Amino acid sequence: MGSNTGDLVTRVQSAHLFDHDALFRYAADNVSGFPTNPSQFNISQFGHGQSNPTFLIAVGSGSSIKRYVLRKKPPGKLLQSAHAVEREFQVLKALGEHTQVPVPKVFCLCTDPSVIGTAFYIMEFMEGRIFVDPKLPNVAPGRRTAIYRAAAKALASLHSADVDAIGLDKYGRRANYCQRQIDRWFKQYLASTNEGKLERNPKMFELVDWLRQSIPAEDSTGATSGLVHGDFRIDNLVFHPYEDRVIGILDWELSTLGNQMCDVAYSCMHYIVNVQLDKEHVSEGLETTGLPDGILSMPEFLLEYCSALGKPWPAANWKFYGNASAGERARNTGVQANELVECALGYIARENVLPAHPPSGKRDVSRPSYESLVDGTGRFVPNRKVLELRGKLVKFMETHIYPMETEFSKLAQSDLRWTVHPEEERLKEEAKRQGLWNLFIPVDSAARARRELAAIENKQSFDQLFGEGLTNLEYGYLCEIMGRSVWAPQVFNCGAPDTGNMEVILRYGNKEQIAEWLIPLLEGKIRSGFAMTEPQVASSDATNIECSIRRQGDSYVINGTKWWTSGAMDPRCRVLILMGKTDFNAPKHKQQSMILVDMRTPGIHVKRPLTVFGFDDAPHGHAEISFENVIVPATNILLGEGRGFEIAQGRLGPGRLHHCMRLIGAAERGMELMAQRALSRKTFGVFIAQHGSFVSDLAKLRVELEGTRLLVLEAADHLDKFGNKKARGILAMAKVAAPNMALKVLDTAIQVHGAAGVCSDTVLAHLWATARTLRIADGPDEVHLGTIGKLELQRASKL
């Protein structure tokens, strides 16, 4: 098992003590969201292999504790280029803000030594696992394979960073990287053995001569160089707490620009030789001692890396790179250095160190690899474009959304809860920048809006607002990720009811309505509400609604009361789509119309926010609103009088299926939190995960979740291929299945968490409340079941 990152700390070493009060004052002034009046402020030191002292900061009150990591230069006189935390901060900031490379978020850099004695920076604490031993003891074979593949993928991600595009073009010299490394190592070796300090090993001179003569030609030009980590190995990776994927690459002290194959070779050292600083002798590597079951061989690991980047098989130069990494270790003197030299020379003497071709039965390295570039030929296999967007979304959630959930929740429970957290607006701009904005918009709706906007000046400036042109099926894979957090959808401008309202205007709005209301909604400058449900009638049957929309000259006059108008409490809400009756005497399904209503119109009175199982969902909110002689321009009518049901049926397709997609994500998060809790908490002397009843329940929930996911994807696929009307049966099935499945998962997760599950310390209670509400808000189960049953009887009657 890997060590939890939070378990790798000890008391601060006496040599590394510093002024805690000074640090607190600095962090409070320079780290956004840092608690300013905590009851706890504790500092401990990480004990795992850090050349730059690294500390864990725990600050907060009661159960609300935030954790940060501080990394500083060591005290005392240092070499000018050593322990450059400023460079670490620079590379982490560039990668975190501009790439998908998994790195911790950095908050601030302090170069003033008067604060705590040396320069330092503060970054996020990553809760996860670190595997110190590359043999991965006590890890199941299948998970070992996944962990090694994830490590190769993380290295490929690092090496794919475009340093010119992210401001790291001057981060180091690109040419002659290997030559400089060899010269530096050898110089250090000579200095450490000078004047009889230690006996020099003549074989070291033989190794260095061979390395200098064998430097690959591409090294001298730097044409293939890029970002180099300099110390990439498995124990410098943070893995997700229970998923076998890398969430953070640590220890960037040696990073620079140069020949990236040196990183690859260094990450493979443990296959050849095992070097432990606390041991006098080196020992044989995994290739000699035998690979533990499930661990990739070195060729297989290299294939994973090369496949991910489309790099050629490195057999021609692998002897050099493997020995360059050994030479780096051999710059140390003493018994270990001599043994490393012997190992390196023995490696050189081998006829072959890699097969001439990639391992048989594996992927062709001329093509990028596995899940990042699936060709999309399977029915429900996401294509490359969707996978790339999904990867960006996952990274965004991990980097920006999850760390802010507590802050958003605190504001939503404070006296200022009907205000917008400034970080939300900043994150919206970041989502736009990363191309994660308005992803819900179907390509056909975007095309119609563009046609309507053809007469508007500077129409080209609107192109970026129409998403990525995804189908409902493609969006399903992304909407699921957003559903993992109640706060996420609005950050990507993909939250209800805005998505449904924008879809209505996209499909049914005229040019003027699109220009006045849709564009600011697409830009995220305003938000909207949907006013249909009424307190005095059963609104699941929309023919019951009583709110009147009476024509009076060039206007309509609205009178009535609406409730559960979601979004209307938001201070940014500027427009409502209201459904009422324009003709009480027309046929039952021709009486209703939809109209756009400016929230600032006189006669609109927001009476109160309503709660959902105690949650008022501030600042979004669900309002009860009265309309007293509200006068609206006649041009605000959508599509025409009596067309309300027609519009509603169009809206009930894509917009309402989004709820099902998000519920899959909510259930997945519940599964993860539940499993993590079960693996870390004991009852009656054993971990919850060891109780047979829990394992059985977990398995059944996984089966039900996967079945529901396929049903939702099938519904989205039908919607794309056959339209809303023909897909209504499977849409109804998805709307029954998704919330019921999510409720089962979340209810079990709450049970596993005990008291923590029903309070706001976890997201489970809020996710459960949302899922339960959707069994009504997304149309009652009974209505959907009626649709399904009638279609089944119709099918039977035709047999």
Side-chain angles (χ1 to χ4, degrees):
M1 297 292 289
S3 300
N4 292 328
T5 47
D7 295 337
L8 295 172
V9 294
T10 61
R11 294 178 61 184
V12 178
Q13 300 172 23
S14 58
H16 296 149
L17 293 171
F18 53 81
D19 187 340
H20 290 192
D21 291 337
L23 173 63
F24 176 80
R25 290 191 297 271
Y26 183 88
D29 290 339
N30 292 277
V31 177
S32 176
F34 195 87
T36 56
N37 189 28
S39 61
Q40 298 181 49
F41 181 66
N42 301 316
I43 298 178
S44 48
Q45 186 168 2
F46 285 97
H48 172 65
Q50 313 286 342
S51 57
N52 283 330
T54 308
F55 305 86
L56 176 63
I57 303 170
V59 57
S61 300
S63 60
S64 180
I65 301 294
K66 288 188 172 184
R67 292 192 282 184
Y68 303 87
V69 173
L70 179 146
R71 193 161 160 89
K72 68 186 288 290
K73 291 186 178 184
K77 187 175 181 180
L78 306 173
L79 294 174
Q80 184 175 1
S81 61
H83 306 284
V85 295
E86 301 89 347
R87 284 175 57 80
E88 291 185 31
F89 181 85
Q90 179 188 0
V91 69
L92 287 170
K93 184 175 176 63
L95 292 173
E97 292 183 353
H98 304 296
T99 76
Q100 301 306 308
V101 180
V103 293
K105 178 182 179 180
V106 290
F107 297 110
C108 63
L109 169 68
C110 176
T111 57
D112 181 1
S114 69
V115 179
I116 63 169
T118 67
F120 68 92
Y121 65 92
I122 297 176
M123 59 182 169
E124 70 171 317
F125 169 75
M126 306 193 90
E127 184 72 62
R129 297 168 295 159
I130 290 180
F131 297 95
V132 178
D133 188 342
K135 294 190 291 292
L136 305 183
N138 302 317
V139 176
R143 302 198 75 172
R144 288 172 176 164
T145 304
I147 287 166
Y148 266 67
R149 284 178 171 164
K153 181 181 178 182
L155 182 57
S157 172
L158 187 165
H159 287 174
S160 68
D162 185 344
V163 293
D164 296 310
I166 65 176
L168 293 178
D169 51 311
K170 305 297 183 184
Y171 195 61
R173 289 183 287 165
R174 306 185 194 212
N176 298 310
Y177 174 78
C178 293
Q179 180 69 59
R180 295 197 310 275
Q181 292 290 91
I182 295 167
D183 291 345
R184 180 172 64 86
W185 303 334
F186 192 48
K187 182 179 179 181
Q188 290 175 341
Y189 179 81
L190 293 177
S192 61
T193 57
N194 192 28
E195 298 177 351
K197 295 176 183 177
L198 286 169
E199 184 178 354
R200 288 179 176 174
N201 184 349
K203 291 187 176 181
M204 181 61 153
F205 293 80
E206 180 183 343
L207 174 60
V208 170
D209 285 342
W210 185 90
L211 288 170
R212 285 173 169 168
Q213 294 170 20
S214 305
I215 296 173
E218 67 266 18
D219 186 67
S220 62
T221 64
T224 59
S225 68
L227 184 61
V228 174
H229 182 272
D231 195 16
F232 191 93
R233 56 181 195 264
I234 200 164
D235 58 328
N236 273 333
L237 305 178
V238 180
F239 286 78
H240 190 276
Y242 38 88
E243 294 179 6
D244 297 323
R245 58 185 174 88
V246 177
I247 60 173
I249 303 173
L250 307 179
D251 205 351
W252 291 79
E253 181 187 351
L254 300 178
S255 61
T256 186
L257 302 185
N259 192 318
Q260 294 177 326
M261 287 307 295
C262 292
D263 262 354
V264 185
Y266 193 75
S267 70
C268 291
M269 275 284 290
H270 62 282
Y271 288 109
I272 310 303
V273 63
N274 180 24
V275 183
Q276 294 176 281
L277 297 178
D278 59 345
K279 299 290 179 65
E280 182 181 358
H281 297 277
V282 301
S283 55
E284 295 173 325
L286 297 184
E287 280 194 339
T288 303
T289 61
L291 291 170
D293 191 16
I295 287 183
L296 300 181
S297 66
M298 183 166 65
E300 289 170 335
F301 179 82
L302 289 172
L303 179 57
E304 291 290 334
Y305 168 82
C306 293
S307 297
L309 281 179
K311 281 194 172 185
W313 187 239
N317 295 318
W318 191 245
K319 270 190 185 181
F320 168 81
Y321 289 117
N323 280 286
S325 60
E328 193 277 337
R329 289 287 182 96
R331 76 177 191 270
N332 300 311
T333 56
V335 175
Q336 278 196 351
N338 291 330
E339 291 175 345
L340 277 168
V341 170
E342 292 289 345
C343 176
L345 291 174
Y347 197 69
I348 291 169
R350 289 167 57 176
E351 183 176 352
N352 295 305
V353 293
L354 272 186
H357 303 286
S360 60
K362 299 293 181 178
R363 292 176 295 274
D364 178 1
V365 297
S366 64
R367 298 184 62 197
S369 73
Y370 49 104
E371 74 259 53
S372 63
L373 292 182
V374 177
D375 61 12
T377 55
R379 185 173 184 185
F380 292 136
V381 177
N383 58 37
R384 175 176 179 171
K385 178 180 180 179
V386 171
L387 284 167
E388 288 177 348
L389 287 169
R390 187 182 184 278
K392 291 170 69 175
L393 264 179
V394 169
K395 171 71 172 177
F396 195 103
M397 296 284 288
E398 292 173 346
T399 305
H400 301 295
I401 301 295
Y402 301 143
M404 281 301 299
E405 283 182 320
T406 300
E407 289 301 309
F408 290 151
S409 182
K410 282 182 181 177
L411 180 63
Q413 296 173 46
S414 73
D415 292 340
L416 299 173
R417 63 186 182 279
W418 301 111
T419 62
V420 179
H421 198 293
E423 186 69 6
E424 181 182 322
E425 294 302 313
R426 190 194 70 78
L427 290 181
K428 286 165 65 174
E429 292 305 312
E430 179 64 19
K432 289 179 186 177
R433 191 188 65 78
Q434 292 192 25
L436 300 174
W437 189 253
N438 290 337
L439 295 172
F440 73 94
I441 300 177
V443 63
D444 57 337
S445 296
R448 180 185 183 277
R450 285 190 174 96
R451 289 195 301 271
E452 292 293 335
L453 288 169
I456 298 178
E457 294 182 6
N458 301 320
K459 64 181 183 301
Q460 293 299 323
S461 63
F462 300 136
D463 285 349
Q464 62 179 333
L465 300 177
F466 291 106
E468 294 291 323
L470 303 176
T471 65
N472 287 293
L473 175 60
E474 289 171 332
Y475 179 59
Y477 299 103
L478 309 179
C479 192
E480 174 185 331
I481 303 301
M482 300 178 201
R484 295 169 64 90
S485 171
V486 294
W487 305 101
Q490 64 256 34
V491 169
F492 306 103
N493 215 35
C494 292
D498 294 323
T499 50
N501 289 343
M502 285 189 273
E503 182 74 359
V504 165
I505 305 175
L506 279 163
R507 287 172 178 258
Y508 307 113
N510 58 37
K511 179 175 63 179
E512 291 74 19
Q513 292 164 348
I514 288 172
E516 183 175 4
W517 297 113
L518 178 61
I519 294 303
L521 280 169
L522 290 172
E523 291 173 329
K525 293 179 177 178
I526 66 171
R527 297 202 65 184
S528 63
F530 186 66
M532 186 187 81
T533 307
E534 298 179 2
Q536 66 272 22
V537 297
S539 303
S540 57
D541 177 0
T543 62
N544 287 336
I545 64 172
E546 297 176 345
C547 182
S548 66
I549 308 173
R550 299 285 190 186
R551 182 68 182 254
Q552 192 175 83
D554 293 333
S555 303
Y556 285 98
V557 180
I558 303 171
N559 281 282
T561 299
K562 298 287 185 180
W563 71 344
W564 298 105
T565 305
S566 296
M569 295 297 302
D570 195 304
R572 298 162 293 185
C573 184
R574 287 290 178 269
V575 63
L576 303 176
I577 294 182
L578 180 141
M579 187 165 177
K581 288 186 176 178
T582 45
D583 187 348
F584 284 74
N585 298 314
K588 186 167 64 171
H589 290 90
K590 294 293 184 180
Q591 298 177 6
Q592 299 79 14
S593 301
M594 287 194 186
I595 193 166
L596 294 162
V597 183
D598 190 324
M599 275 289 287
R600 297 164 293 187
T601 307
I604 295 178
H605 304 286
V606 177
K607 299 171 71 173
R608 58 171 175 150
L610 300 165
T611 59
V612 181
F613 293 103
F615 295 97
D616 61 15
D617 292 323
H620 180 64
H622 315 280
E624 181 176 356
I625 306 177
S626 66
F627 298 82
E628 300 176 9
N629 295 318
V630 175
I631 300 175
V632 178
T635 53
N636 282 22
I637 201 80
L638 282 163
L639 204 58
E641 289 189 12
R643 309 289 292 272
F645 256 91
E646 179 183 344
I647 297 172
Q649 291 305 306
R651 188 183 191 276
L652 286 173
R656 287 291 178 88
L657 189 60
H658 296 172
H659 285 315
C660 300
M661 297 169 177
R662 283 189 287 265
L663 284 168
I664 301 297
E668 278 290 0
R669 187 146 187 218
M671 290 286 285
E672 291 176 5
L673 291 172
M674 182 191 338
Q676 185 179 13
R677 181 82 168 190
L679 288 167
S680 63
R681 292 297 179 102
K682 291 184 176 181
T683 59
F684 307 106
V686 298
F687 287 107
I688 297 173
Q690 294 175 301
H691 290 285
S693 60
F694 169 78
V695 174
S696 177
D697 289 344
L698 188 68
K700 291 176 183 177
L701 291 171
R702 171 53 65 187
V703 171
E704 189 161 354
L705 195 159
E706 294 301 330
T708 306
R709 176 187 278 116
L710 286 173
L711 179 62
V712 172
L713 293 175
E714 178 88 2
D717 193 42
H718 275 234
L719 194 58
D720 290 327
K721 291 177 178 177
F722 309 118
N724 186 27
K725 185 175 181 179
K726 290 186 177 180
R728 67 188 185 279
I730 195 165
L731 285 171
M733 291 183 222
K735 291 175 184 180
V736 171
N740 280 283
M741 176 278 298
L743 281 171
K744 285 185 183 179
V745 172
L746 294 167
D747 185 72
T748 308
I750 289 170
Q751 197 73 9
V752 171
H753 280 74
V758 297
C759 73
S760 59
D761 284 2
T762 73
V763 299
L764 293 172
H766 205 165
L767 290 174
W768 185 92
T770 301
R772 181 60 185 87
T773 305
L774 286 175
R775 290 186 59 204
I776 300 170
D778 203 14
D781 285 1
E782 292 76 10
V783 172
H784 298 314
L785 290 169
T787 299
I788 299 164
K790 289 174 183 177
L791 288 171
E792 197 67 25
L793 291 171
Q794 288 176 16
R795 188 178 297 112
S797 67
K798 296 177 181 178
L799 294 178

